[in-house]
């Protein structure tokens, strides 16, 4: 456009100059017009140069435009390929993806044990779960109560009863297996800890203190007892004084956080790959040699609890084959918990599983975080067996009444165990104090626990986390049966 305009100006100027020449012959002011003509003639070369430069600029712009179009098409094809890859990734079952990630992690650990960058995937995955879980619990519980739809009815009482019952039974079964298969250990160096609970009273005091901890500190530190307490207080207060728009905002916030959790869980295969790589490359199979008998007793007791005792209790409440639910919880919750080794980090995974099982969100939003704190079957087994192993090593005879007291102490103490990896081990000195075992020896047992913790703590967390969903679902489905509502098809095998 500039080129055409310049040519028009040049031609117009030349025509004007000709008119000036013609009129200059007849006009008395010809000298003045001649001067103006001279000035205009000086401008003409500039106009010609402008026209030439503009033509070159237009050609350059045309080439740049064509190059930009080409790059845009290349970016479009790249994005289209990425979208197709993501769609293909999402179309594959999450469990299958996790198994592939597990296999890749093992292969990388054996082939390239020095590739530390692979381990970062596991650290990032666990860190993301631990970071979002406290926020998820707070907003979901607060939103449910603020909407006025939360009904903590008999189902909630049933869930708490099942959590506490199975934790006590786990401790009792650990006593029985320890008597049937007594083990002694070679004590390792004492483990160090800043805070070691010295008695049941101190454990319970800490548990009650956690209720009224600073709400911000509770979220930052993953104190789920405190998070639940303050979320309930906030939700109840919001229900009474919050406007509808504010309640809608709280609900939208809960939905947004839940969506973030889904994104994180969708990347679980990469996280599992990193976690498996870390375990295999760092420990190998050495842990099975020195403390193999103790480890076999721990894992065997936990498997007996997970595959025999818990399903039997679920059968009593459901009146049908519980194993489809058991295996689904172990597959979709226990597998992830096995590698994260943290009940707290697995809370988002459990909530997503509860949603798939069709459970009431108002119920599982409270029962799942609570289960991560008080449903500690694996922790009760670990505390009991490790304590009795220490007693056997020192030659202390444990009577049946003392064993029953140990079961109760282990069950209650396990409820105060941290929701982090290895939290139950620090409660061993508390249980050892029941038999007069010194703190030094008890801390050496803690050291043994950390040596075998790669497997022991993984199985323990898988048992605890899967049990959270199992018993939440059992309470919900039990209520369905009483109301005449059909149970899910995967559980009964009948189409509804």
């Amino acid at each position: 456009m500039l080129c055409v305009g310049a040519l028009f100006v040049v031609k117009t100027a030349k025509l004007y100059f000709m008119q000036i020449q013609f009129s200059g012959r007849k006009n008395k002011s010809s000298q003045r017009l001649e001067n103006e003509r001279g000035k205009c003639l000086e401008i003409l070369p500039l106009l010609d140069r402008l026209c030439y430069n503009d033509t070159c600029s237009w050609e350059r712009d045309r080439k740049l435009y064509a190059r930009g179009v080409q790059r845009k098409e290349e970016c479009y094809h790249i994005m289209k390929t990425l979208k197709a890859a993501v769609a293909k990734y999402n179309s594959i079952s999450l469990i299958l993806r996790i198994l592939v990630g597990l296999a890749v992690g093992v292969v990388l650990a054996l082939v390239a044990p020095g590739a530390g960058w692979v381990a970062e995937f596991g650290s990032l995955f666990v860190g993301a779960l631990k970071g979002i879980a406290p926020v998820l619990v707070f907003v979901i519980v607060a939103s449910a109560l603020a909407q006025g739809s939360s009904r903590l009815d008999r189902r909630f009482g049933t869930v708490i009863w099942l959590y506490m019952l199975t934790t006590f039974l786990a401790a009792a079964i650990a006593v029985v297996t320890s008597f049937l298969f007594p083990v002694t250990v070679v004590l390792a160096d004492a483990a160090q800890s800043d805070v070691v609970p010295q008695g049941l009273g101190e454990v319970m005091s800490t548990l009650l203190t956690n209720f009224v901890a600073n709400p911000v500190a509770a979220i930052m530190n993953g104190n789920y007892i405190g998070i639940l307490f303050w979320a309930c207080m906030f939700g109840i207060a919001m229900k009474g004084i919050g406007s509808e728009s504010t309640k809608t905002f709280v609900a939208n916030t809960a939905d947004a956080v839940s969506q973030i959790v889904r994104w994180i869980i969708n990347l679980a295969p990469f996280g599992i790959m990193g976690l498996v790589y870390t375990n295999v490359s760092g420990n190998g199979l050495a842990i099975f040699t020195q403390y193999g008998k103790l480890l076999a007793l721990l894992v065997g007791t936990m498997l007996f609890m997970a595959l025999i005792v818990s399903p039997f209790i679920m059968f009593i409440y459901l009146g049908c084959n519980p194993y489809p639910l058991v295996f689904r919880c172990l597959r979709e919750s226990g597998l992830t918990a096995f590698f994260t080794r943290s009940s707290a980090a697995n809370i988002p995974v459990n909530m997503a599983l509860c949603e798939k099982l069709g459970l009431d969100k108002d119920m599982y939003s409270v029962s799942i975080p609570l289960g991560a704190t008080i449903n500690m079957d694996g922790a009760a087994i670990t505390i009991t067996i490790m304590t009795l192993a220490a007693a056997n090593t020192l030659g202390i005879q444990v009577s049946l009444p003392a064993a029953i007291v140990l079961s109760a102490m282990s069950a209650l103490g396990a409820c105060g165990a941290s929701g982090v990896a290895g939290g139950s081990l620090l409660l061993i000195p508390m249980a050892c104090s029941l038999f007069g075992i010194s703190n030094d020896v008890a801390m050496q047992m803690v050291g043994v626990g950390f040596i075998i913790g790669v497997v022991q703590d993984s199985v323990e967390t898988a048992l605890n986390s899967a049990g959270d969903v199992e018993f939440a679902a059992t309470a919900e489905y039990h209520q369905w049966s009483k109301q005449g509502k059909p149970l899910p098809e995967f559980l009964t095998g009948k189409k509804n």
Side-chain angles (χ1 to χ4, degrees):
M1 291 298 294
L2 288 174
C3 180
V4 174
L7 289 173
F8 176 77
V9 170
V10 171
K11 291 184 178 181
T12 304
K14 289 182 177 179
L15 180 61
Y16 176 67
F17 299 149
M18 291 175 62
Q19 290 177 349
I20 289 177
Q21 278 185 318
F22 178 74
S23 61
R25 297 190 185 101
K26 298 180 181 180
N27 198 318
K28 296 179 180 180
S29 308
S30 59
Q31 184 63 37
R32 182 174 57 83
L33 293 174
E34 186 67 24
N35 294 337
E36 292 181 5
R37 176 175 174 274
K39 293 179 181 179
C40 291
L41 288 174
E42 295 175 0
I43 299 175
L44 282 177
L46 296 177
L47 291 174
D48 288 335
R49 189 178 304 171
L50 175 63
C51 179
Y52 173 78
N53 291 339
D54 186 66
T55 303
C56 296
S57 177
W58 180 84
E59 182 66 21
R60 184 170 59 252
D61 291 344
R62 186 185 66 79
K63 292 180 180 179
L64 290 175
Y65 175 77
R67 194 179 305 167
V69 171
Q70 183 181 1
R71 290 181 179 177
K72 185 177 180 180
E73 291 179 352
E74 292 175 355
C75 292
Y76 172 77
H77 289 301
I78 293 174
M79 292 301 299
K80 187 176 180 180
T81 304
L82 289 176
K83 287 181 179 180
V86 171
K88 182 65 177 178
Y89 174 84
N90 291 331
S91 66
I92 302 174
S93 169
L94 179 61
I95 300 302
L96 180 58
R97 283 182 275 157
I98 288 177
L99 292 176
V100 172
L102 189 153
V104 172
V106 172
V107 172
L108 288 177
L110 297 176
V111 175
W117 59 270
V118 180
E120 291 301 319
F121 287 102
S123 301
L124 291 173
F125 178 65
V126 175
L129 286 175
K130 285 184 177 180
I132 197 65
V135 181
L136 174 70
V137 171
F138 185 88
V139 297
I140 283 184
V141 173
S143 174
L145 293 175
Q147 305 305 317
S149 59
S150 181
R151 301 179 299 277
L152 301 184
D153 50 20
R154 291 182 179 180
R155 295 172 299 173
F156 192 68
T158 303
V159 171
I160 295 179
W161 160 249
L162 290 173
Y163 285 166
M164 298 304 297
L165 173 64
T166 54
T167 301
F168 176 77
L169 287 177
I173 291 171
V175 170
V176 174
T177 56
S178 293
F179 280 178
L180 293 176
F181 308 99
V183 296
T184 57
V185 297
V186 178
L187 296 179
D189 294 333
Q192 299 297 323
S193 175
D194 294 332
V195 180
V196 179
Q198 297 300 318
L200 184 60
E202 184 178 345
V203 172
M204 297 307 297
S205 175
T206 302
L207 188 63
L208 294 175
T209 302
N210 286 340
F211 273 100
V212 292
N214 182 285
V216 177
I219 293 176
M220 292 177 61
N221 299 327
N223 170 17
Y224 288 93
I225 291 293
I227 293 171
L228 282 172
F229 176 77
W230 290 115
C232 290
M233 294 295 100
F234 181 81
I236 293 172
M238 185 63 68
K239 178 182 178 181
I241 64 175
S243 63
E244 289 301 321
S245 59
T246 304
K247 294 178 182 178
T248 302
F249 172 77
V250 174
N252 291 341
T253 302
D255 293 338
V257 176
S258 298
Q259 181 60 49
I260 294 173
V261 170
R262 294 187 191 99
W263 291 338
I264 295 173
I265 294 175
N266 200 38
L267 298 175
F270 298 98
I272 297 300
M273 178 188 69
L275 293 171
V276 171
Y277 175 87
T278 300
N279 288 335
V280 175
S281 62
N283 301 282
L285 301 179
I287 54 173
F288 292 103
T289 56
Q290 189 175 5
Y291 301 106
K293 191 175 180 180
L294 175 62
L295 183 61
L297 180 61
L298 284 166
V299 173
T301 305
M302 292 178 189
L303 291 177
F304 181 80
M305 185 69 194
L307 300 177
I308 304 297
V309 179
S310 293
F312 178 73
I313 295 174
M314 295 166 64
F315 172 77
I316 294 175
Y317 277 84
L318 298 178
C320 65
N321 180 13
Y323 283 100
L325 177 60
V326 171
F327 291 140
R328 184 167 183 178
C329 291
L330 288 174
R331 184 175 67 248
E332 299 190 27
S333 172
L335 183 62
T336 306
F338 182 89
F339 294 105
T340 61
R341 296 172 60 193
S342 171
S343 297
N346 218 49
I347 287 177
V349 178
N350 282 350
M351 288 194 171
L353 177 56
C354 287
E355 184 178 359
K356 292 179 183 178
L357 295 175
L359 305 186
D360 184 358
K361 186 176 182 179
D362 295 337
M363 281 300 302
Y364 72 71
S365 63
V366 178
S367 61
I368 293 300
L370 185 63
T373 303
I374 68 173
N375 182 38
M376 291 291 177
D377 300 357
I381 291 172
T382 297
I383 295 170
T384 303
I385 290 180
M386 296 293 283
T387 301
L388 291 176
N392 292 333
T393 301
L394 298 177
I396 299 174
Q397 296 295 323
V398 179
S399 64
L400 181 60
I404 295 175
V405 174
L406 173 63
S407 299
M409 178 179 287
S410 298
L412 292 175
C415 295
S418 308
V420 297
S424 61
L425 296 177
L426 297 181
L427 293 170
I428 293 175
M430 176 200 72
C432 286
S433 65
L434 179 65
F435 304 108
I437 300 175
S438 68
N439 192 60
D440 290 340
V441 174
M443 288 307 296
Q444 290 185 51
M445 289 302 299
V446 174
V448 172
F450 279 114
I451 292 174
I452 63 176
V454 175
V455 175
Q456 168 267 325
D457 194 33
S458 296
V459 178
E460 173 187 319
T461 308
L463 172 62
N464 293 340
S465 188
D468 294 347
V469 183
E470 288 174 359
F471 298 124
T474 298
E476 179 84 14
Y477 295 155
H478 177 65
Q479 186 72 14
W480 287 12
S481 298
K482 294 175 65 175
Q483 295 174 350
K485 184 178 178 180
L487 296 178
E489 181 181 342
F490 81 90
L491 194 57
T492 61
K494 300 177 182 178
K495 292 186 178 181
N496 299 327

